[in-house]
């Protein structure tokens, strides 16, 4: 079932953020929300995540679906290492029934995930000791490993250099195959890299949507 937002309005005190915002997102589609800062892109993600309620309007297609999100801030557990931050969201039953078997299977799985985003060798480092770019990639891996049918990503590649961004984008594209992805970005190249449809937001509503490349 597609996700549909109809005539969404949202204000914070006297500031109108969204005015009659409507958008249809097909199952398994990747879209990128683009537009000027402060236009309401993050608010759209927060509404879809259930973290913010719209003042009016209708939303359908979210019922019974698990949502994973990468926020603008990483929201990692500072006292834990990279492995522990991701292991917390895993469905551990899929890794076997025996305690030793499960622990080994999870470790091998996470090694592959971290290697895919260029973090091999940093898995056991406390995240408080890691750079911003490394923390960003851990947040991406965690969101994708949470197995949500819907992925909400708020500028997930912030702080990454060009080569690392390309690697992380390829990981996202492959790992999110078949899932609905809604990403906020200011960089058209990022939308192209993950094969997303670009949705331009202007004056607090959709003004155009371009097909993916």
């Amino acid at each position: 079932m597609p996700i549909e937002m109809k005539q969404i309005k949202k204000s914070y005190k006297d500031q109108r953020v969204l005015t009659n915002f409507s958008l249809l997102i097909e199952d398994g589609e990747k879209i990128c929300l683009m537009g000027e800062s402060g236009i309401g892109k993050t608010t759209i993600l927060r509404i879809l995540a259930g973290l913010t309620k719209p003042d009016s309007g209708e939303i359908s297609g979210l019922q019974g679906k698990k949502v994973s999100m990468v926020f603008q801030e990483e929201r990692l557990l500072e006292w834990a290492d990279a492995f522990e931050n991701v292991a917390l969201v895993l469905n551990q039953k899929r890794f076997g029934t025996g305690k030793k078997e499960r622990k080994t299977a999870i470790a091998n799985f996470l090694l592959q995930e971290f290697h895919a985003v260029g973090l091999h060798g940093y898995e056991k480092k406390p995240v408080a000791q890691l750079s911003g770019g490394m923390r960003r990639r851990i947040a991406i891996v965690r969101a994708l490993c949470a197995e949500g049918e819907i992925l909400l990503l708020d500028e997930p590649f912030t702080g990454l250099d060009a080569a690392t961004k390309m690697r992380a984008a390829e990981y996202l594209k492959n790992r999110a195959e078949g899932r609905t992805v809604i990403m906020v970005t200011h960089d058209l190249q990022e939308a192209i890299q993950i094969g997303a449809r670009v949705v331009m937001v202007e004056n607090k509503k959709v003004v155009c949507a371009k097909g993916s490349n």
Side-chain angles (χ1 to χ4, degrees):
M1 183 178 180
I3 300 169
E4 187 168 13
M5 305 177 77
K6 294 182 179 178
Q7 302 295 304
I8 300 297
K9 293 182 180 180
K10 180 63 183 178
S11 298
Y12 294 104
K13 295 184 178 179
D14 295 330
Q15 182 179 0
R16 176 61 59 85
V17 179
L18 295 172
T19 303
N20 296 328
F21 179 86
S22 297
L23 181 64
L24 179 67
I25 307 161
E26 299 292 347
D27 273 344
E29 184 178 18
K30 296 181 180 71
I31 73 163
C32 281
L33 300 175
M34 298 187 69
E36 295 179 0
S37 296
I39 207 72
K41 303 182 299 296
T42 294
T43 296
I44 293 166
L45 294 190
R46 291 183 61 84
I47 289 172
L48 290 171
L51 300 174
T52 298
K53 291 185 177 181
D55 299 329
S56 62
E58 299 179 8
I59 304 173
S60 60
L62 293 174
Q63 298 81 355
K65 294 179 180 176
K66 182 179 177 181
V67 175
S68 300
M69 187 166 181
V70 173
F71 297 86
Q72 287 187 10
E73 63 281 4
E74 293 86 13
R75 301 196 180 191
L76 301 175
L77 300 175
E78 297 291 328
W79 50 265
D81 63 34
F83 260 19
E84 290 168 329
N85 267 277
V86 178
L88 284 172
V89 306
L90 294 177
N91 175 10
Q92 300 204 1
K93 292 181 180 179
R94 59 174 281 215
F95 294 97
T97 55
K99 186 175 180 180
K100 186 176 181 180
E101 173 194 13
R102 181 181 295 172
K103 185 177 180 180
T104 300
I106 289 174
N108 289 336
F109 170 77
L110 290 178
L111 280 172
Q112 293 177 351
E113 299 298 300
F114 279 79
H115 186 269
V117 294
L119 286 173
H120 180 67
Y122 294 94
E123 300 89 354
K124 289 295 184 178
K125 293 281 188 181
V127 297
Q129 298 178 13
L130 299 180
S131 70
M134 290 176 177
R135 293 162 61 90
R136 204 72 191 139
R137 282 174 279 167
I138 294 169
I140 292 170
V141 171
R142 182 180 60 182
L144 286 159
C145 287
E147 299 183 355
E149 296 103 314
I150 301 169
L151 288 166
L152 305 176
L153 311 170
D154 199 350
E155 301 188 46
F157 306 129
T158 298
L160 303 185
D161 61 55
T164 305
K165 182 187 295 187
M166 184 174 295
R167 187 168 185 172
E170 189 66 19
Y171 171 78
L172 170 60
K173 182 180 179 180
N174 294 334
R175 197 73 168 74
E177 186 65 34
R179 292 192 260 181
T180 302
V181 177
I182 305 159
M183 183 171 91
V184 168
T185 180
H186 290 282
D187 188 344
L188 179 60
Q189 188 62 34
E190 293 178 6
I192 293 171
Q193 286 174 330
I194 69 167
R197 174 168 65 103
V198 174
V199 174
M200 296 299 298
V201 182
E202 187 175 302
N203 295 326
K204 305 170 180 58
K205 60 184 180 181
V206 172
V207 293
C208 71
K210 303 176 182 179
S212 62
N213 290 311

